[in-house]
Amino acid sequence: MIAQAAYQVRNHSWRQIFDQPEELSAQAGQILRRNDMEGWTRAAPSLYPHQWSWDSAFIAIGLAHLDTRRAAQELRTLFAHQWMTGRVPHIVFNPKAPPESYFPGADHWACAASSPDAPPAPPYTSCLCQPPVHAIAALRIWEVAGREDEKAFAEATDFLREIYPRLFAWHRYLATLRDPERSGLVTIYHPWASGADNSPRWDGALAAVEVGEMPTYPRYDLDHVDDPSERPASAEYDRYLWLVKLIKRADCDERAIYRSHPFLVKDVLFSAILVAANDALLEIAKVVEAPDEERELVDGWAGRGRKGLEKCWDDKLNLCLDYDLRADRSLRVRTVAGFAPLIAGQQSPERLAALLGELASPAFAGHAELRWPVPPSTSPEEPGFHPRSYWRGPVWPVANWLLWWSLIRSGEPERAAQIRRVSLDQIAEGGFAEYFEPFSGKPLGSKEQSWTAAVVLDWLADDVRSAEIEAA
Ligand code: DGY
């Protein structure tokens, strides 16, 4: 049972918000329209003026409720820049973005275009990648289109036929080149690939990275936030940039990176998302009648992923832990990534009970001083916790969406409903921010973050539909 105390919210007025789902949903739609670049969506108006990979997948999930064709286009545009190896780049650079808006920008990554596996450039891409939410998004678009009309459904089915081979190549890349040990766990070689850049999950592995000679570099990101403490610190950025330099030196080639790179980590959240995405890909494979051998492979990747995550389980912490391949040790830090088995799904009843207990405990959503009872990205009990600093503590609506979605998949609709309701309250109070200070509820980072708007659209889709039916 989740402790009741976990959900007693201070100064809490969610009823008002739930009386007006259409209004919040309309505001979310306006943000996506403002960030729309015709065929793709900026992650945020000024802080992130390019197309980011996992942002786009979440954005497609939200867009599906506005226009399933436009949602499909979001993924189509991203996958147009897929590498020959199957890699989906973490950033596709917008050639029209102001030159001093983002660093490291296209010119810094232009080297990636010289790799024989890179897509034609411009537009340039980075050579990192991010968690593979895309198959989940593609399936969601198809499901939503199925509730529209026959034409939309037929088009969405055609879209699945078109995107399936690309999704299959993407997952094969992750299951092979990014997991040469066949452990079921994806190796990342840069914290940016985790999507949780400055999480204390990476502190131990980053501490071992010795930064060499580097030119000075600009921090344009700091110009777009109220306070520099909301973004990763300069010691972290030095390491990020140094790792980029080493990746460039290795010609963005996985095998070379594996041989020489100082930062190689098995990322449990990335791996769990891949498991869930493989489940979605299996559904897609059925719809498009993909060959049996491919379906067996996808099923095998999902099974291997679940086994790999099982090995990373820590009985004392009741969480799953990342693994530092260079130091040959687990990274013992309590963060939302530890709920990876919940996201992968199909866990045993005992494991599920342990995860739910941990989620509701004072280490996460049950912490007595939280403004809203949703899990901070890092447990406030961790020494590396910082309430304002990006993934070191703030609450991320997109992480709550993943937990909500996973709780539904795990047969826990009431707990899912609770996370959804509280997350919507938080956004109704603080706006469509990238992340929130957990104790004050203050919005932080970018204030018009596309994926925050997207998850709101997904959360409110059923309420909005019921209100429309009632009004008709
Ligand atoms: C950033 O610039 O903050 C991104 O997370 C890197 O992809």
Side-chain angles (χ1 to χ4, degrees):
M1 253 321 248
I2 289 190
Q4 197 55 33
Y7 291 114
Q8 279 166 7
V9 184
R10 292 180 296 151
N11 311 323
H12 178 43
S13 60
W14 63 265
R15 280 195 188 289
Q16 280 169 15
I17 292 148
F18 271 79
D19 287 345
Q20 292 155 4
E22 297 102 314
E23 203 179 305
L24 197 59
S25 176
Q27 286 168 11
Q30 279 159 16
I31 288 184
L32 287 189
R33 270 186 281 276
R34 279 203 289 276
N35 289 342
D36 189 325
M37 303 298 287
E38 293 178 8
W40 65 276
T41 310
R42 289 180 297 200
S46 49
L47 182 55
Y48 307 112
H50 307 289
Q51 184 173 29
W52 261 264
S53 168
W54 76 324
D55 292 70
S56 263
F58 284 109
I59 289 164
I61 290 172
L63 282 175
H65 302 289
L66 301 178
D67 177 351
T68 47
R69 293 170 191 96
R70 175 63 186 79
Q73 190 56 33
E74 186 76 25
L75 293 180
R76 207 178 266 125
T77 309
L78 177 71
F79 276 80
H81 305 287
Q82 186 169 25
W83 288 42
M84 297 270 282
T85 49
R87 170 184 4 223
V88 176
H90 103 290
I91 304 177
V92 177
F93 290 101
N94 167 17
K96 296 196 186 124
E100 298 194 347
S101 53
Y102 181 80
F103 183 84
D107 46 348
H108 198 87
W109 281 111
C111 60
S114 61
S115 161
D117 300 325
Y124 292 100
T125 76
S126 79
C127 75
L128 300 174
C129 55
Q130 280 181 325
V133 186
H134 315 88
I136 298 169
L139 188 63
R140 192 92 168 169
I141 295 170
W142 182 75
E143 286 164 354
V144 174
R147 296 200 290 254
E148 279 176 21
D149 53 55
E150 267 178 40
K151 187 160 178 279
F153 189 54
E155 281 182 27
T157 308
D158 284 347
F159 167 66
L160 287 191
R161 281 195 199 97
E162 173 195 335
I163 199 86
Y164 167 79
R166 289 185 171 269
L167 288 169
F168 181 79
W170 169 218
H171 288 203
R172 185 179 49 204
Y173 161 78
L174 294 171
T176 54
L177 284 173
R178 300 305 289 267
D179 184 21
E181 309 85 355
R182 303 293 185 265
S183 67
L185 302 170
V186 179
T187 307
I188 59 161
Y189 37 74
H190 198 295
W192 283 339
S194 69
D197 309 0
N198 72 340
S199 172
R201 292 160 74 193
W202 317 129
D203 287 358
L206 278 181
V209 174
E210 276 178 46
V211 178
E213 277 296 302
M214 256 196 325
T216 54
Y217 56 88
R219 287 288 306 272
Y220 301 137
D221 58 316
L222 301 182
D223 299 340
H224 303 299
V225 288
D226 295 340
D227 182 328
S229 71
E230 295 171 28
R231 293 284 304 168
S234 33
E236 285 153 350
Y237 250 80
D238 287 351
R239 284 177 171 73
Y240 299 160
L241 269 302
W242 179 248
L243 291 176
V244 169
K245 191 172 170 135
L246 297 182
I247 292 165
K248 282 160 64 168
R249 207 180 267 168
D251 292 329
C252 303
D253 173 72
E254 280 79 12
R255 291 181 190 89
I257 292 168
Y258 236 84
R259 278 195 297 276
S260 60
H261 206 56
F263 181 95
L264 283 189
V265 179
K266 292 288 183 190
D267 175 337
V268 290
L269 180 60
F270 196 126
S271 305
I273 291 175
L274 180 59
V275 171
N278 273 320
D279 289 348
L281 189 57
L282 210 50
E283 292 294 309
I284 296 174
K286 279 186 211 139
V287 176
V288 306
E289 297 173 2
D292 287 346
E293 315 83 79
E294 290 184 6
R295 292 198 221 185
E296 274 161 32
L297 274 173
V298 177
D299 200 28
W301 296 334
R304 198 157 75 198
R306 288 196 169 91
K307 280 199 198 115
L309 289 170
E310 189 55 37
K311 290 202 182 130
C312 297
W313 180 254
D314 186 293
D315 266 330
K316 298 219 171 50
L317 297 182
N318 277 331
L319 292 170
C320 208
L321 298 178
D322 304 297
Y323 196 83
D324 181 347
L325 289 176
R326 283 293 179 237
D328 205 6
R329 66 181 173 106
S330 298
L331 295 166
R332 256 180 140 261
V333 189
R334 285 169 297 169
T335 71
V336 274
F339 297 100
L342 187 64
I343 289 159
Q346 296 182 26
Q347 59 297 80
S348 66
E350 297 73 39
R351 184 68 81 243
L352 180 60
L355 287 160
L356 295 177
E358 191 57 34
L359 188 57
S361 78
F364 285 98
H367 191 284
E369 285 160 48
L370 296 181
R371 167 72 181 105
W372 303 103
V374 273
S377 47
T378 296
S379 168
E381 296 177 359
E382 277 296 318
F385 171 81
H386 186 303
R388 298 173 60 81
S389 179
Y390 213 44
W391 285 93
R392 286 190 174 270
V395 171
W396 287 70
V398 75
N400 292 342
W401 184 94
L402 272 175
L403 291 172
W404 165 78
W405 182 79
S406 308
L407 285 166
I408 293 175
R409 287 205 331 142
S410 300
E412 294 291 334
E414 281 161 25
R415 288 179 173 91
Q418 191 76 33
I419 287 204
R420 168 185 170 275
R421 194 164 59 220
V422 175
S423 301
L424 286 167
D425 285 350
Q426 182 179 52
I427 293 164
E429 179 188 81
F432 294 84
E434 191 181 1
Y435 44 97
F436 293 85
E437 210 271 5
F439 305 127
S440 65
K442 191 176 177 300
L444 301 173
S446 148
K447 300 301 180 317
E448 296 212 320
Q449 186 75 9
S450 294
W451 70 7
T452 304
V455 297
V456 166
L457 283 167
D458 195 52
W459 272 326
L460 289 176
D462 288 343
D463 300 64
V464 171
R465 201 169 299 117
S466 319
E468 279 167 5
I469 294 169
E470 231 169 78

